[in-house]
Amino acid sequence: MMKKILTLFLALAASVGTLFAQSGTCGDNLKWTLSNGTLTISGTGAMTNYTNSSSKPNTPWYSYSSSIKTVQIGSSVTSIGACAFYGCSSLTALTIPNSVTSIGTYAFYNCSGLTSVTIGESVTSIGYSAFSGCSSLTSVTIPNSVTSIGSEAFGSCSSLISVKIGESVTSIGGTYAFYNCSGLTSVTIGESVTSIGDYAFKGCSKLATVIWNAKKCNDFSSSNTPFYYYGSSSSSDNFDLRKQITSFTFGDKVEYIPAYLCAGMSNLTSITIPNSVTSIGTGAFSGCGSLTSVTINSNSITSSSNLRNVFGEQVKQYTVGDDVTSIGNNAFYRCSGLTSVTIGESVTSIGDYAFYQCSKLTSVTIPNSVTSIG
């Protein structure tokens, strides 16, 4: 009988203990306090980087993690440590103050109740798997201060609908940055991005809209673009979301369209090339079998490219924008699907063989600005 009473007393003491303040240190000059479901980090400086062993991090508050509903981070805290809030499944919203410059690996791993997060304007790096498994997170804006996003940083955020990546991010993940974000429908790529890791969007089965602002991103290969993954001969290892993307928009600061970027997007029907673009990589639009309408505002592209090689033979309509001043030699050479061309009011010259063997071309309007035809 006494043994049962003692067991009951200990259980009651444990449950009551969580109602009262728990506290300790979590950095050289940081203190944590847990009271009534609110974890407060106060003081100045960086948090301790904790470790994870067998899915059990050694954070001092981990035993209370499932009861933590609110996290308050002081305005002088400079970093969020590795594994800091790992498994805080009852946490629903979070604001990271502007004093924080880095978010450590696994920092919010499996915070399955987290629906919104505001990332401070001073954060420069988001670590490996930092938000992986945050299955209730619906949208993320990566601020302009961030320069790198780690591998699997947002992996398996299955409720994530949209992602906007800040203008200072240069690298998106080593691999799998947004892996299995099965609810993701749109993504905006920032202008400073120069590299995107392998399989970045693998498993993003609803992704349909891409806004591409990257000025000079590195080339991709035909078998490995951000939107295509080829693993092995087994079909279960492969995932191709290119056929789902129906809208691909280039920002007005893009200078180079990487090789094979849009390759295989077979349901893409129209594209606009801004005047900032000076060159297009090999195979950038190869396999875009439904692409029938192209608007070109880049003087460099109409002057130096055989558009058939860039966009394929199936394009029926080209619109040459008012930013273009010349149409170069062989520009539409053997564009056998072309039926109509609209030429902007700034074009002054049309080069040799510009429309050679365009056997289906029935309508061309040449503006008064044109002074020479090759």
Side-chain angles (χ1 to χ4, degrees):
M1 183 67 177
M2 289 296 294
K3 187 175 182 180
K4 289 184 178 179
I5 294 174
L6 179 61
T7 301
L8 181 63
F9 174 78
L10 291 173
L12 181 63
S15 63
V16 170
T18 62
L19 299 176
F20 297 95
Q22 307 289 327
S23 63
T25 59
C26 54
D28 291 342
N29 296 295
L30 294 183
K31 181 180 178 180
W32 68 274
T33 302
L34 177 61
S35 179
N36 295 324
T38 297
L39 177 63
T40 302
I41 309 297
S42 59
T44 302
M47 283 183 66
T48 300
N49 284 315
Y50 297 99
T51 58
N52 173 35
S53 176
S54 301
S55 300
K56 187 177 180 180
N58 62 343
T59 52
W61 49 79
Y62 181 71
S63 58
Y64 311 110
S65 59
S66 62
S67 64
I68 295 173
K69 297 180 180 180
T70 305
V71 172
Q72 296 179 349
I73 302 171
S75 59
S76 295
V77 176
T78 59
S79 74
I80 295 176
C83 300
F85 307 107
Y86 187 119
C88 291
S89 56
S90 298
L91 181 64
T92 58
L94 180 75
T95 297
I96 298 172
N98 290 335
S99 57
V100 171
T101 60
S102 64
I103 300 174
T105 61
Y106 295 106
F108 298 94
Y109 184 83
N110 272 355
C111 290
S112 56
L114 189 64
T115 59
S116 66
V117 59
T118 300
I119 300 175
E121 295 294 332
S122 297
V123 172
T124 59
S125 63
I126 299 175
Y128 175 88
S129 288
F131 293 93
S132 185
C134 293
S135 55
S136 298
L137 194 62
T138 57
S139 66
V140 170
T141 297
I142 311 296
N144 292 337
S145 57
V146 173
T147 58
S148 65
I149 300 173
S151 298
E152 301 184 50
F154 295 93
S156 298
C157 291
S158 55
S159 296
L160 196 61
I161 297 172
S162 64
V163 173
K164 184 176 181 180
I165 296 170
E167 300 301 338
S168 296
V169 174
T170 59
S171 172
I172 300 176
T175 54
Y176 301 106
F178 295 93
Y179 172 69
N180 267 356
C181 290
S182 55
L184 188 64
T185 60
S186 67
V187 63
T188 300
I189 306 294
E191 66 181 52
S192 297
V193 170
T194 58
S195 66
I196 300 178
D198 296 346
Y199 333 130
F201 298 98
K202 184 187 177 187
C204 296
S205 55
K206 294 181 180 178
L207 183 61
T209 300
V210 177
I211 299 173
W212 185 273
N213 294 316
K215 288 182 179 180
K216 292 182 178 180
C217 188
N218 296 337
D219 285 334
F220 304 102
S221 69
S222 60
S223 61
N224 187 9
T225 81
F227 312 103
Y228 176 62
Y229 165 69
Y230 182 82
S232 69
S233 59
S234 171
S235 60
S236 63
D237 290 335
N238 304 330
F239 185 81
D240 189 350
L241 60 82
R242 297 175 300 176
K243 296 178 182 179
Q244 299 166 195
I245 295 175
T246 56
S247 175
F248 202 104
T249 303
F250 291 100
D252 59 8
K253 294 182 180 180
V254 176
E255 297 175 14
Y256 177 64
I257 297 176
Y260 299 103
L261 175 63
C262 296
M265 294 184 183
S266 57
N267 285 311
L268 198 62
T269 58
S270 64
I271 205 79
T272 297
I273 306 299
N275 62 4
S276 55
V277 173
T278 58
S279 60
I280 299 175
T282 301
F285 298 96
S286 62
C288 295
S290 298
L291 185 61
T292 57
S293 176
V294 177
T295 299
I296 300 175
N297 294 311
S298 169
N299 201 61
S300 299
I301 302 306
T302 58
S303 296
S304 61
S305 300
N306 180 331
L307 299 177
R308 171 179 173 270
N309 293 338
V310 176
F311 299 104
E313 298 180 6
Q314 77 286 344
V315 178
K316 296 179 179 179
Q317 179 181 346
Y318 277 98
T319 300
V320 179
D322 289 336
D323 293 312
V324 176
T325 58
S326 65
I327 295 175
N329 296 341
N330 305 305
F332 298 95
Y333 180 87
R334 294 181 65 187
C335 287
S336 57
L338 186 61
T339 59
S340 66
V341 177
T342 301
I343 299 175
E345 295 291 337
S346 297
V347 172
T348 59
S349 64
I350 299 173
D352 297 342
Y353 300 100
F355 298 97
Y356 185 73
Q357 290 190 0
C358 293
S359 56
K360 294 181 181 178
L361 185 60
T362 58
S363 173
V364 179
T365 300
I366 300 174
N368 291 335
S369 56
V370 173
T371 58
S372 67
I373 299 176

